[in-house]
Amino acid sequence: MSSLHDLRAPGRGPSVAQVLVLVLEGDVVLSQGGCDVRARQDDLLLFDDRSPFTARSSARSLLAAAHVDGARLAPRPEATAGPLPRHIDGRAPLGALVASIVRTVLSLQHHVDERALRRLGAAVLDMLALSVTSPEPRSRAIGPDRPGLLTDIVHYMRAHMADQRLGPDSVADAFRIAPRTLSRLFAADGTTFMRALWQIRLTTAHTGLQDGRFASVTDAALICGFSNPAHFSRTFKEAFGYAPIVLKLKRRPRT
């Protein structure tokens, strides 16, 4: 199991001892309190490590785990109420967004400073709280003729945009369609997969910087799927005609 940056306040132990697990590869069955919960790749599990539990996984499974500060997890009491363990579907929009940012934290934890990791961790906690209080069902229907398929694919791309490995092959595989079918869907809409992905990432970054949701240009770059903030700034300027720092400066209070 890979260790992950703890999602809790500096210098304090979690008031509710919970553990968040992301299944990176394979699957795992977590047993606790007479309840068995199975999670597959990209799914998440939330459980209380103060109670006895067992975890069974296949030999090829790879997991990432982080301690979670229950006090920060619960903007509403119901976020931590109810039985644990909990399964969070990695294909549902909120679950997918949590999973993608956790992957980003995992890949960057040895390359960015503690403050940036704390901000990313806070974003994970906010979305995790939403995902456990507002579970989002997803359609079980699959196939290239499913109504609204392109809309579902775009929602999936938005949820996974932080994952730098996101591409036409992985998305086609997630929806069980051929890459050629995926290309035809976007062509019928007058665009391409990569063009749509860049637009999603850049417009999300622009909106987040404009409304103050992103604390910095670096945060916007990482959360929106850019590994290099300098490349992000150049691409942003090419798309909008000005650098992303301009939006941050506009929001600073004048003295």
Side-chain angles (χ1 to χ4, degrees):
M1 178 180 290
S2 298
S3 62
L4 187 64
H5 180 80
D6 283 0
L7 306 181
R8 49 186 176 184
R12 294 174 48 196
S15 57
V16 178
Q18 294 182 7
V19 175
L20 177 66
V21 173
L22 169 64
V23 182
L24 299 170
E25 295 179 15
D27 59 4
V28 62
V29 177
L30 183 73
S31 302
Q32 186 176 51
C35 179
D36 293 339
V37 178
R38 183 179 184 184
R40 295 184 172 86
Q41 183 172 334
D42 294 327
D43 289 349
L44 300 110
L45 292 170
L46 185 67
F47 70 97
D48 188 335
D49 68 354
R50 297 171 299 180
S51 301
F53 68 92
T54 61
R56 305 185 304 276
S57 59
S58 59
R60 61 185 179 85
S61 294
L62 180 62
L63 313 174
H67 285 96
V68 173
D69 187 340
R72 293 177 63 191
L73 176 62
R76 297 188 297 272
E78 62 268 26
T80 52
L84 294 175
R86 294 184 184 175
H87 171 263
I88 300 169
D89 189 347
R91 296 284 183 89
L94 284 173
L97 190 54
V98 175
S100 66
I101 296 182
V102 169
R103 284 181 180 271
T104 299
V105 176
L106 185 64
S107 66
L108 293 173
Q109 60 181 334
H110 301 302
H111 304 286
V112 299
D113 61 29
E114 183 77 8
R115 186 178 300 176
L117 286 173
R118 290 289 176 192
R119 288 199 293 262
L120 287 171
V124 173
L125 291 176
D126 288 343
M127 286 176 285
L128 182 60
L130 288 173
S131 67
V132 297
T133 57
S134 306
E136 299 181 69
R138 60 184 175 92
S139 172
R140 294 183 179 273
I142 58 175
D145 299 324
R146 187 178 82 197
L149 177 58
L150 182 59
T151 299
D152 288 347
I153 289 172
V154 171
H155 282 308
Y156 181 89
M157 291 164 64
R158 290 184 186 279
H160 287 80
M161 65 180 170
D163 189 346
Q164 295 166 28
R165 302 170 306 167
L166 184 68
D169 289 341
S170 63
V171 172
D173 182 64
F175 284 86
R176 302 183 191 178
I177 60 176
R180 184 178 300 179
T181 300
L182 184 73
S183 296
R184 285 201 297 266
L185 286 170
F186 281 98
D189 200 46
T191 188
T192 66
F193 174 90
M194 292 308 301
R195 192 181 304 156
L197 178 58
W198 280 109
Q199 182 177 7
I200 288 169
R201 285 173 164 161
L202 288 169
T203 55
T204 302
H206 186 283
T207 301
L209 288 168
Q210 190 171 47
D211 63 19
R213 192 166 67 251
F214 297 140
S216 68
V217 171
T218 298
D219 284 357
L222 297 177
I223 292 174
C224 294
F226 295 85
S227 60
N228 187 321
H231 175 249
F232 164 69
S233 294
R234 289 194 300 270
T235 305
F236 188 101
K237 186 173 182 179
E238 290 173 2
F240 299 108
Y242 48 85
I245 192 62
V246 171
L247 294 177
K248 294 301 299 178
L249 293 174
K250 284 183 177 179
R251 290 190 56 82
R252 288 183 181 175
R254 295 183 179 179
T255 57

